Every structure is written in C-alpha cells, then in structure tokens.
Amino acid sequence: MTVDDTNAGGGAEPPTYPTPHHEVDHTAEPSHDPLAIRLEQLILGADRRYTPFQAARTAGVSMELASRFWRAMGFADIGQAKALTEADVLALRRLAGLVEAGLLSEPMAVQVARSTGQTTARLAEWQIDSFLEGLTEPPEPGMTRTEVTYPLVELLLPELEEFLIYVWRRQLAAATGRVVQAVDDAEMVDRRLAVGFADLVGFTRLTRRLEEEELGELVEAFETTCADLVAAHGGRLIKTLGDEVLYCADDPGTAAEIALRLIETLGHDETMPALRVGIAFGTVTTRMGDVFGTTVNLASRLTSIAPKDAVLVDGALAEELTRTGEAPASEAEAAEEASRAEKEGRRAATYRFALQPMWQRPVRGLGVVEPWLLSRRPS
C-alpha cells in the first residue's frame, strides 16, 4: 500500500485525520511537561519522531487506512503534531502487512485493532486507577506523586508486560481449543451456549445511600467474586456492568452450577444486596469476545423477572438438564423411582438439580415463555 498520490510528493500540506494520542496527550497538542515526556518515553521505549502523516508515509500506508486503524484502536486526534514513535510505524506496517499477505481482510484487521484497543484501554485505566494510584502515595513529606511514579513504573513495566503476554497466550490457547473442537465452521460463529446474567437487586436505590468509595468497593467485590466463581467452575466471563455480570458456558450443567454458586456465595455476604440470575440455552453469535442474539436477550429478560436470590432458566436449558440426567423430568416420578429402588435394595438415580415450572408469562420482545425455577437437590 502506498500513500495517497496527492501527498506523496510532500509539497502540499497533509490533511488532518483522527490519529493517536498517548498517555500525555489530552487535546490536539501533546504535553510538553518534562516528567510526562520522560514517562512516555519510558513506557513507549522510544522518542517522538513523526507526525501522523510522516508515520503513515514511513510505514507505506495510506493516511486513510492509518486513520482507520488509529481510530479503531481508540486514539484521539492530535492533528499533525510530532508525537509518534517507531513503534507506531511498526504497528502500521504489521497490520497493513497482514492485509497485503492475504492473512486478514481489511475489515478484519480493523476489528483486530478495535478489539485490542478496547480491551487494553480498559486494562490500562484499571491499572492506573486501582493499582498504580495506590502505590504512588508519596512515602515522605514533600515528595510529589510524579517523583515517585517514574521509578515505580520503571520497575513494574517489564514484569507487567511479561505477565500480560503470558495471560494473553493462555487465553488464546483456550479460545483456539474451543474453535478446533467445533463441529463445523458455522459453529465457530453461531454456537449453542448457555448464557447467564447475574444482577444485583435494588442497586439503583443502593447508589443513593452509599458513599462513592463504599459503592466502588461493593462493585469490585461483586465483580471479583463473580469472575472467580465463573472461572473456577469452567465458565467464561463475557463482561461486567457494575451491578450485572454476563457469563456463558458450553455445558448447561456448568452454567446452572455457576448460577447456584453465585446465589449461595453472595447470599452469605451481609454487605451484598440480593441476587437474581437468568439462564437461557441456544444459538449465540459471538463477535469480538461478546455474545449476541435471542438467547442472550432471553437470559436478560429472565433475570429481570427472577425472584430474589433465585435462578430462572428457559425451557431449552431445562430440557437439556433432564436429557443429560442432571435434573429429573418429574419430581413425582423421581420420588416413585427412589421408593422402588429402596424396596428393591438398589441405588436410585441421583440428580444435581431440581426444576420447578413457573407460570407462563409474556416477555417483552420475545413472546410468551415458560420459565423454570432452578434449585439444588439435597444430597
């Protein structure tokens, strides 16, 4: 790919495109604060050398494509300030090279840039807000936080970088394994999954009573507990929304176990509001780490009508639990079978879950559904 012919000669002033800014760039002009520049150089590992137009030209990429990549990564407009480094040029070359080699289509390369940018932006904000901010409290009177930040970042940067790569590789290996095990190509995008929503009851009212710090601690405790339980029992946390988490699992039994564990664990925490969970099973479209479709919408609706500290599931998930022998098709029949087994001196079938049909009801946008109340059977 080459730069637009109108600008290739360098005679005309290049147009302004949305282009990236780094940590110290809050408007169109980068910061000139000496310490901020030193921190930027430390983190990026290079000095500012290029304007956006120069970076695109050096990378052999049109400004239009460079702008699409930068915009997808979430970088703001810095006009034509000299704020880019060799790393910015190399990133453009790599993305454009994948397109030129036919390994990625241009829209796919933009998706890669967008998904990476969104994920790492949130990670960086979290690390600064929750991690570095707490560690950079001045240890001695008279010291500024900026004086403490530079040596701390210098020590942490290589360790955090290696850890990030390690976690990414592990997650990539797991995701690749799920794709390889898919039955066919269509299943890689449109898959049958169990999708669960867990929602704190009365969270809006709670926000009016708690101080900001208390509210932040509650949300962090909720998200951390949910993330740990989902991961420990074989599910995948899709996203957190403050008072709500969305998770999925390949196996309906796994999703059901996670839901009950969430209710049981958070129910023992006196600081937590009541919880309600909704689960649906069916075809789900996956895009950029997120899930979409009617199954996801149904899980959300079930959550909104679930009783406090209870789990509602749809008919498809209830049917799958009975098919796999994890829940009885009928409690009456299960009781009769247990009685016969006891008389005959044999062991009766055991089930993990109990299902109770609830009243059919209309659900906005999805018609009439028959939810099932999920509970754990006594051992």
Side-chain angles (χ1 to χ4, degrees), residues 208-236:
R208 292 194 287 266
R209 296 205 319 264
L210 296 180
E211 298 291 336
E212 288 185 6
E213 185 174 347
E214 292 177 309
L215 187 63
E217 290 174 355
L218 184 144
V219 168
E220 184 175 356
F222 170 64
E223 292 184 349
T224 300
T225 301
C226 290
D228 288 348
L229 286 172
V230 169
H233 294 281
R236 296 190 298 284

PDB file of all heavy atoms in Angstrom, residues 208-236:
ATOM      1  N   ARG A 208     -27.827   5.571  45.896  1.00  0.00           N
ATOM      2  CA  ARG A 208     -28.204   6.839  46.529  1.00  0.00           C
ATOM      3  C   ARG A 208     -27.884   6.852  48.021  1.00  0.00           C
ATOM      4  O   ARG A 208     -27.852   7.910  48.638  1.00  0.00           O
ATOM      5  CB  ARG A 208     -29.699   7.100  46.296  1.00  0.00           C
ATOM      6  CG  ARG A 208     -30.051   7.388  44.853  1.00  0.00           C
ATOM      7  CD  ARG A 208     -31.456   7.975  44.736  1.00  0.00           C
ATOM      8  NE  ARG A 208     -32.484   6.976  44.965  1.00  0.00           N
ATOM      9  CZ  ARG A 208     -33.082   6.275  43.996  1.00  0.00           C
ATOM     10  NH1 ARG A 208     -32.732   6.466  42.736  1.00  0.00           N
ATOM     11  NH2 ARG A 208     -34.018   5.397  44.278  1.00  0.00           N
ATOM     12  N   ARG A 209     -27.634   5.665  48.601  1.00  0.00           N
ATOM     13  CA  ARG A 209     -27.374   5.588  50.035  1.00  0.00           C
ATOM     14  C   ARG A 209     -25.892   5.504  50.373  1.00  0.00           C
ATOM     15  O   ARG A 209     -25.476   5.972  51.421  1.00  0.00           O
ATOM     16  CB  ARG A 209     -28.073   4.351  50.636  1.00  0.00           C
ATOM     17  CG  ARG A 209     -29.569   4.381  50.559  1.00  0.00           C
ATOM     18  CD  ARG A 209     -30.189   3.509  51.652  1.00  0.00           C
ATOM     19  NE  ARG A 209     -29.488   2.249  51.840  1.00  0.00           N
ATOM     20  CZ  ARG A 209     -29.842   1.100  51.276  1.00  0.00           C
ATOM     21  NH1 ARG A 209     -30.873   1.078  50.456  1.00  0.00           N
ATOM     22  NH2 ARG A 209     -29.165  -0.013  51.526  1.00  0.00           N
ATOM     23  N   LEU A 210     -25.108   4.913  49.484  1.00  0.00           N
ATOM     24  CA  LEU A 210     -23.703   4.676  49.788  1.00  0.00           C
ATOM     25  C   LEU A 210     -22.813   5.812  49.310  1.00  0.00           C
ATOM     26  O   LEU A 210     -23.131   6.482  48.317  1.00  0.00           O
ATOM     27  CB  LEU A 210     -23.243   3.364  49.135  1.00  0.00           C
ATOM     28  CG  LEU A 210     -23.891   2.066  49.624  1.00  0.00           C
ATOM     29  CD1 LEU A 210     -23.311   0.876  48.870  1.00  0.00           C
ATOM     30  CD2 LEU A 210     -23.702   1.892  51.125  1.00  0.00           C
ATOM     31  N   GLU A 211     -21.720   6.002  50.013  1.00  0.00           N
ATOM     32  CA  GLU A 211     -20.698   6.920  49.545  1.00  0.00           C
ATOM     33  C   GLU A 211     -20.015   6.309  48.320  1.00  0.00           C
ATOM     34  O   GLU A 211     -20.060   5.093  48.104  1.00  0.00           O
ATOM     35  CB  GLU A 211     -19.662   7.161  50.648  1.00  0.00           C
ATOM     36  CG  GLU A 211     -20.213   7.806  51.906  1.00  0.00           C
ATOM     37  CD  GLU A 211     -20.621   9.259  51.673  1.00  0.00           C
ATOM     38  OE1 GLU A 211     -20.065   9.870  50.724  1.00  0.00           O
ATOM     39  OE2 GLU A 211     -21.468   9.767  52.407  1.00  0.00           O
ATOM     40  N   GLU A 212     -19.374   7.157  47.520  1.00  0.00           N
ATOM     41  CA  GLU A 212     -18.760   6.679  46.284  1.00  0.00           C
ATOM     42  C   GLU A 212     -17.721   5.584  46.548  1.00  0.00           C
ATOM     43  O   GLU A 212     -17.657   4.590  45.831  1.00  0.00           O
ATOM     44  CB  GLU A 212     -18.113   7.847  45.531  1.00  0.00           C
ATOM     45  CG  GLU A 212     -19.115   8.793  44.899  1.00  0.00           C
ATOM     46  CD  GLU A 212     -18.434   9.863  44.054  1.00  0.00           C
ATOM     47  OE1 GLU A 212     -17.203   9.780  43.883  1.00  0.00           O
ATOM     48  OE2 GLU A 212     -19.141  10.763  43.575  1.00  0.00           O
ATOM     49  N   GLU A 213     -16.917   5.766  47.590  1.00  0.00           N
ATOM     50  CA  GLU A 213     -15.891   4.779  47.884  1.00  0.00           C
ATOM     51  C   GLU A 213     -16.509   3.449  48.294  1.00  0.00           C
ATOM     52  O   GLU A 213     -16.060   2.375  47.874  1.00  0.00           O
ATOM     53  CB  GLU A 213     -14.967   5.292  48.999  1.00  0.00           C
ATOM     54  CG  GLU A 213     -13.784   4.367  49.275  1.00  0.00           C
ATOM     55  CD  GLU A 213     -12.815   4.967  50.272  1.00  0.00           C
ATOM     56  OE1 GLU A 213     -12.920   6.180  50.556  1.00  0.00           O
ATOM     57  OE2 GLU A 213     -11.952   4.218  50.760  1.00  0.00           O
ATOM     58  N   GLU A 214     -17.575   3.512  49.113  1.00  0.00           N
ATOM     59  CA  GLU A 214     -18.261   2.283  49.528  1.00  0.00           C
ATOM     60  C   GLU A 214     -18.883   1.583  48.335  1.00  0.00           C
ATOM     61  O   GLU A 214     -18.822   0.350  48.217  1.00  0.00           O
ATOM     62  CB  GLU A 214     -19.349   2.619  50.547  1.00  0.00           C
ATOM     63  CG  GLU A 214     -18.842   3.116  51.887  1.00  0.00           C
ATOM     64  CD  GLU A 214     -19.981   3.488  52.801  1.00  0.00           C
ATOM     65  OE1 GLU A 214     -20.866   4.253  52.367  1.00  0.00           O
ATOM     66  OE2 GLU A 214     -19.999   3.009  53.954  1.00  0.00           O
ATOM     67  N   LEU A 215     -19.474   2.355  47.445  1.00  0.00           N
ATOM     68  CA  LEU A 215     -20.100   1.782  46.256  1.00  0.00           C
ATOM     69  C   LEU A 215     -19.053   1.116  45.372  1.00  0.00           C
ATOM     70  O   LEU A 215     -19.271   0.019  44.845  1.00  0.00           O
ATOM     71  CB  LEU A 215     -20.831   2.880  45.476  1.00  0.00           C
ATOM     72  CG  LEU A 215     -21.686   2.418  44.294  1.00  0.00           C
ATOM     73  CD1 LEU A 215     -22.817   1.520  44.776  1.00  0.00           C
ATOM     74  CD2 LEU A 215     -22.245   3.627  43.547  1.00  0.00           C
ATOM     75  N   GLY A 216     -17.908   1.781  45.212  1.00  0.00           N
ATOM     76  CA  GLY A 216     -16.835   1.203  44.411  1.00  0.00           C
ATOM     77  C   GLY A 216     -16.338  -0.111  44.980  1.00  0.00           C
ATOM     78  O   GLY A 216     -16.078  -1.066  44.252  1.00  0.00           O
ATOM     79  N   GLU A 217     -16.222  -0.163  46.312  1.00  0.00           N
ATOM     80  CA  GLU A 217     -15.761  -1.389  46.967  1.00  0.00           C
ATOM     81  C   GLU A 217     -16.775  -2.516  46.799  1.00  0.00           C
ATOM     82  O   GLU A 217     -16.412  -3.682  46.584  1.00  0.00           O
ATOM     83  CB  GLU A 217     -15.513  -1.123  48.455  1.00  0.00           C
ATOM     84  CG  GLU A 217     -14.300  -0.235  48.717  1.00  0.00           C
ATOM     85  CD  GLU A 217     -14.152   0.126  50.189  1.00  0.00           C
ATOM     86  OE1 GLU A 217     -15.068  -0.240  50.981  1.00  0.00           O
ATOM     87  OE2 GLU A 217     -13.140   0.754  50.546  1.00  0.00           O
ATOM     88  N   LEU A 218     -18.065  -2.180  46.883  1.00  0.00           N
ATOM     89  CA  LEU A 218     -19.102  -3.196  46.704  1.00  0.00           C
ATOM     90  C   LEU A 218     -19.082  -3.768  45.288  1.00  0.00           C
ATOM     91  O   LEU A 218     -19.150  -4.983  45.093  1.00  0.00           O
ATOM     92  CB  LEU A 218     -20.477  -2.604  47.030  1.00  0.00           C
ATOM     93  CG  LEU A 218     -21.662  -3.566  46.990  1.00  0.00           C
ATOM     94  CD1 LEU A 218     -22.668  -3.214  48.081  1.00  0.00           C
ATOM     95  CD2 LEU A 218     -22.359  -3.547  45.628  1.00  0.00           C
ATOM     96  N   VAL A 219     -19.000  -2.869  44.296  1.00  0.00           N
ATOM     97  CA  VAL A 219     -18.981  -3.319  42.901  1.00  0.00           C
ATOM     98  C   VAL A 219     -17.753  -4.177  42.635  1.00  0.00           C
ATOM     99  O   VAL A 219     -17.829  -5.221  41.969  1.00  0.00           O
ATOM    100  CB  VAL A 219     -19.025  -2.109  41.944  1.00  0.00           C
ATOM    101  CG1 VAL A 219     -18.714  -2.535  40.515  1.00  0.00           C
ATOM    102  CG2 VAL A 219     -20.386  -1.428  42.009  1.00  0.00           C
ATOM    103  N   GLU A 220     -16.605  -3.755  43.166  1.00  0.00           N
ATOM    104  CA  GLU A 220     -15.379  -4.528  42.948  1.00  0.00           C
ATOM    105  C   GLU A 220     -15.483  -5.907  43.596  1.00  0.00           C
ATOM    106  O   GLU A 220     -15.068  -6.913  43.003  1.00  0.00           O
ATOM    107  CB  GLU A 220     -14.177  -3.780  43.520  1.00  0.00           C
ATOM    108  CG  GLU A 220     -12.850  -4.486  43.242  1.00  0.00           C
ATOM    109  CD  GLU A 220     -11.649  -3.679  43.699  1.00  0.00           C
ATOM    110  OE1 GLU A 220     -11.833  -2.542  44.159  1.00  0.00           O
ATOM    111  OE2 GLU A 220     -10.526  -4.198  43.594  1.00  0.00           O
ATOM    112  N   ALA A 221     -16.056  -5.971  44.793  1.00  0.00           N
ATOM    113  CA  ALA A 221     -16.216  -7.258  45.465  1.00  0.00           C
ATOM    114  C   ALA A 221     -17.175  -8.160  44.688  1.00  0.00           C
ATOM    115  O   ALA A 221     -16.931  -9.363  44.537  1.00  0.00           O
ATOM    116  CB  ALA A 221     -16.733  -7.047  46.885  1.00  0.00           C
ATOM    117  N   PHE A 222     -18.254  -7.575  44.184  1.00  0.00           N
ATOM    118  CA  PHE A 222     -19.231  -8.338  43.390  1.00  0.00           C
ATOM    119  C   PHE A 222     -18.591  -8.883  42.118  1.00  0.00           C
ATOM    120  O   PHE A 222     -18.698 -10.083  41.813  1.00  0.00           O
ATOM    121  CB  PHE A 222     -20.417  -7.441  43.057  1.00  0.00           C
ATOM    122  CG  PHE A 222     -21.380  -8.030  42.054  1.00  0.00           C
ATOM    123  CD1 PHE A 222     -22.093  -9.176  42.357  1.00  0.00           C
ATOM    124  CD2 PHE A 222     -21.567  -7.424  40.813  1.00  0.00           C
ATOM    125  CE1 PHE A 222     -22.993  -9.720  41.439  1.00  0.00           C
ATOM    126  CE2 PHE A 222     -22.447  -7.959  39.891  1.00  0.00           C
ATOM    127  CZ  PHE A 222     -23.160  -9.107  40.201  1.00  0.00           C
ATOM    128  N   GLU A 223     -17.916  -8.021  41.381  1.00  0.00           N
ATOM    129  CA  GLU A 223     -17.301  -8.446  40.124  1.00  0.00           C
ATOM    130  C   GLU A 223     -16.203  -9.478  40.353  1.00  0.00           C
ATOM    131  O   GLU A 223     -16.086 -10.451  39.599  1.00  0.00           O
ATOM    132  CB  GLU A 223     -16.743  -7.235  39.377  1.00  0.00           C
ATOM    133  CG  GLU A 223     -17.817  -6.283  38.855  1.00  0.00           C
ATOM    134  CD  GLU A 223     -17.227  -5.144  38.044  1.00  0.00           C
ATOM    135  OE1 GLU A 223     -15.986  -4.973  38.049  1.00  0.00           O
ATOM    136  OE2 GLU A 223     -18.008  -4.421  37.399  1.00  0.00           O
ATOM    137  N   THR A 224     -15.407  -9.276  41.395  1.00  0.00           N
ATOM    138  CA  THR A 224     -14.320 -10.208  41.686  1.00  0.00           C
ATOM    139  C   THR A 224     -14.861 -11.580  42.059  1.00  0.00           C
ATOM    140  O   THR A 224     -14.374 -12.613  41.575  1.00  0.00           O
ATOM    141  CB  THR A 224     -13.443  -9.670  42.826  1.00  0.00           C
ATOM    142  OG1 THR A 224     -12.881  -8.410  42.439  1.00  0.00           O
ATOM    143  CG2 THR A 224     -12.317 -10.631  43.154  1.00  0.00           C
ATOM    144  N   THR A 225     -15.874 -11.600  42.925  1.00  0.00           N
ATOM    145  CA  THR A 225     -16.474 -12.880  43.336  1.00  0.00           C
ATOM    146  C   THR A 225     -17.061 -13.606  42.142  1.00  0.00           C
ATOM    147  O   THR A 225     -16.854 -14.819  41.972  1.00  0.00           O
ATOM    148  CB  THR A 225     -17.561 -12.639  44.396  1.00  0.00           C
ATOM    149  OG1 THR A 225     -16.988 -11.979  45.526  1.00  0.00           O
ATOM    150  CG2 THR A 225     -18.191 -13.950  44.836  1.00  0.00           C
ATOM    151  N   CYS A 226     -17.796 -12.879  41.316  1.00  0.00           N
ATOM    152  CA  CYS A 226     -18.413 -13.497  40.139  1.00  0.00           C
ATOM    153  C   CYS A 226     -17.351 -14.030  39.178  1.00  0.00           C
ATOM    154  O   CYS A 226     -17.459 -15.156  38.673  1.00  0.00           O
ATOM    155  CB  CYS A 226     -19.305 -12.491  39.426  1.00  0.00           C
ATOM    156  SG  CYS A 226     -20.807 -12.051  40.331  1.00  0.00           S
ATOM    157  N   ALA A 227     -16.332 -13.226  38.921  1.00  0.00           N
ATOM    158  CA  ALA A 227     -15.283 -13.643  37.985  1.00  0.00           C
ATOM    159  C   ALA A 227     -14.585 -14.900  38.476  1.00  0.00           C
ATOM    160  O   ALA A 227     -14.319 -15.828  37.698  1.00  0.00           O
ATOM    161  CB  ALA A 227     -14.278 -12.507  37.803  1.00  0.00           C
ATOM    162  N   ASP A 228     -14.288 -14.953  39.780  1.00  0.00           N
ATOM    163  CA  ASP A 228     -13.604 -16.118  40.340  1.00  0.00           C
ATOM    164  C   ASP A 228     -14.463 -17.371  40.247  1.00  0.00           C
ATOM    165  O   ASP A 228     -13.983 -18.450  39.886  1.00  0.00           O
ATOM    166  CB  ASP A 228     -13.223 -15.856  41.802  1.00  0.00           C
ATOM    167  CG  ASP A 228     -12.084 -14.855  41.938  1.00  0.00           C
ATOM    168  OD1 ASP A 228     -11.449 -14.542  40.907  1.00  0.00           O
ATOM    169  OD2 ASP A 228     -11.837 -14.383  43.055  1.00  0.00           O
ATOM    170  N   LEU A 229     -15.751 -17.247  40.574  1.00  0.00           N
ATOM    171  CA  LEU A 229     -16.632 -18.412  40.546  1.00  0.00           C
ATOM    172  C   LEU A 229     -16.876 -18.902  39.126  1.00  0.00           C
ATOM    173  O   LEU A 229     -16.890 -20.110  38.866  1.00  0.00           O
ATOM    174  CB  LEU A 229     -17.970 -18.077  41.215  1.00  0.00           C
ATOM    175  CG  LEU A 229     -17.942 -17.979  42.746  1.00  0.00           C
ATOM    176  CD1 LEU A 229     -19.269 -17.453  43.276  1.00  0.00           C
ATOM    177  CD2 LEU A 229     -17.643 -19.344  43.355  1.00  0.00           C
ATOM    178  N   VAL A 230     -17.069 -17.978  38.199  1.00  0.00           N
ATOM    179  CA  VAL A 230     -17.282 -18.366  36.800  1.00  0.00           C
ATOM    180  C   VAL A 230     -16.072 -19.118  36.265  1.00  0.00           C
ATOM    181  O   VAL A 230     -16.192 -20.172  35.639  1.00  0.00           O
ATOM    182  CB  VAL A 230     -17.590 -17.117  35.938  1.00  0.00           C
ATOM    183  CG1 VAL A 230     -17.545 -17.473  34.445  1.00  0.00           C
ATOM    184  CG2 VAL A 230     -18.956 -16.536  36.293  1.00  0.00           C
ATOM    185  N   ALA A 231     -14.882 -18.567  36.518  1.00  0.00           N
ATOM    186  CA  ALA A 231     -13.663 -19.209  36.017  1.00  0.00           C
ATOM    187  C   ALA A 231     -13.424 -20.561  36.689  1.00  0.00           C
ATOM    188  O   ALA A 231     -13.086 -21.544  36.032  1.00  0.00           O
ATOM    189  CB  ALA A 231     -12.468 -18.286  36.242  1.00  0.00           C
ATOM    190  N   ALA A 232     -13.618 -20.622  38.006  1.00  0.00           N
ATOM    191  CA  ALA A 232     -13.322 -21.843  38.752  1.00  0.00           C
ATOM    192  C   ALA A 232     -14.185 -23.013  38.312  1.00  0.00           C
ATOM    193  O   ALA A 232     -13.743 -24.164  38.343  1.00  0.00           O
ATOM    194  CB  ALA A 232     -13.500 -21.599  40.247  1.00  0.00           C
ATOM    195  N   HIS A 233     -15.407 -22.734  37.866  1.00  0.00           N
ATOM    196  CA  HIS A 233     -16.331 -23.814  37.516  1.00  0.00           C
ATOM    197  C   HIS A 233     -16.472 -24.024  36.009  1.00  0.00           C
ATOM    198  O   HIS A 233     -17.410 -24.697  35.563  1.00  0.00           O
ATOM    199  CB  HIS A 233     -17.687 -23.562  38.171  1.00  0.00           C
ATOM    200  CG  HIS A 233     -17.641 -23.647  39.661  1.00  0.00           C
ATOM    201  ND1 HIS A 233     -17.626 -24.837  40.341  1.00  0.00           N
ATOM    202  CD2 HIS A 233     -17.524 -22.683  40.609  1.00  0.00           C
ATOM    203  CE1 HIS A 233     -17.545 -24.620  41.634  1.00  0.00           C
ATOM    204  NE2 HIS A 233     -17.483 -23.310  41.830  1.00  0.00           N
ATOM    205  N   GLY A 234     -15.547 -23.449  35.243  1.00  0.00           N
ATOM    206  CA  GLY A 234     -15.482 -23.772  33.827  1.00  0.00           C
ATOM    207  C   GLY A 234     -16.291 -22.903  32.897  1.00  0.00           C
ATOM    208  O   GLY A 234     -16.496 -23.267  31.735  1.00  0.00           O
ATOM    209  N   GLY A 235     -16.769 -21.746  33.381  1.00  0.00           N
ATOM    210  CA  GLY A 235     -17.481 -20.821  32.501  1.00  0.00           C
ATOM    211  C   GLY A 235     -16.549 -19.759  31.966  1.00  0.00           C
ATOM    212  O   GLY A 235     -15.350 -19.757  32.236  1.00  0.00           O
ATOM    213  N   ARG A 236     -17.106 -18.835  31.220  1.00  0.00           N
ATOM    214  CA  ARG A 236     -16.334 -17.701  30.682  1.00  0.00           C
ATOM    215  C   ARG A 236     -17.075 -16.403  30.993  1.00  0.00           C
ATOM    216  O   ARG A 236     -18.246 -16.256  30.636  1.00  0.00           O
ATOM    217  CB  ARG A 236     -16.137 -17.849  29.166  1.00  0.00           C
ATOM    218  CG  ARG A 236     -15.313 -19.051  28.792  1.00  0.00           C
ATOM    219  CD  ARG A 236     -14.931 -19.029  27.320  1.00  0.00           C
ATOM    220  NE  ARG A 236     -16.073 -19.075  26.422  1.00  0.00           N
ATOM    221  CZ  ARG A 236     -16.777 -20.177  26.163  1.00  0.00           C
ATOM    222  NH1 ARG A 236     -16.492 -21.316  26.778  1.00  0.00           N
ATOM    223  NH2 ARG A 236     -17.782 -20.155  25.320  1.00  0.00           N
TER     224      ARG A 236
END
